[in-house]
Amino acid sequence: IQIRFRDFLLGTVIGMSPGIFTVVVLEAQLLHALRDRAVGGIALLLGLAVFFALLGVFYRWYSRRPARA
């Protein structure tokens, strides 16, 4: 399969932009919450940590289920 470099580069930029934006925004919010040490910010961080831990547990459970025919 042949694809022009310009198309590849444009697709890569469009595809990666939302993820990069999300990581940058979350990092800024994390640093802000850690600097201020407000109860709400710490609670939000703990909530996110629990959410992502449960998401990992759910993924592991879901991927080990027997496939339906």
Side-chain angles (χ1 to χ4, degrees):
I1 296 176
Q2 294 283 327
I3 185 168
R4 287 186 286 184
F5 180 72
R6 179 187 58 124
D7 295 336
F8 170 77
L9 188 61
L10 184 61
T12 301
V13 168
I14 290 172
M16 292 184 72
S17 294
I20 292 172
F21 177 76
T22 302
V23 168
V24 168
V25 169
L26 285 176
E27 179 195 5
Q29 293 296 328
L30 174 67
L31 289 175
H32 180 69
L34 290 175
R35 280 190 200 130
D36 290 346
R37 298 193 196 266
V39 175
I42 301 299
L44 178 63
L45 290 176
L46 286 175
L48 285 173
V50 168
F51 171 75
F52 284 114
L54 289 176
L55 189 64
V57 169
F58 175 74
Y59 175 75
R60 181 174 287 180
W61 171 79
Y62 190 78
S63 64
R64 290 185 180 175
R65 288 185 331 150
R68 292 187 183 185

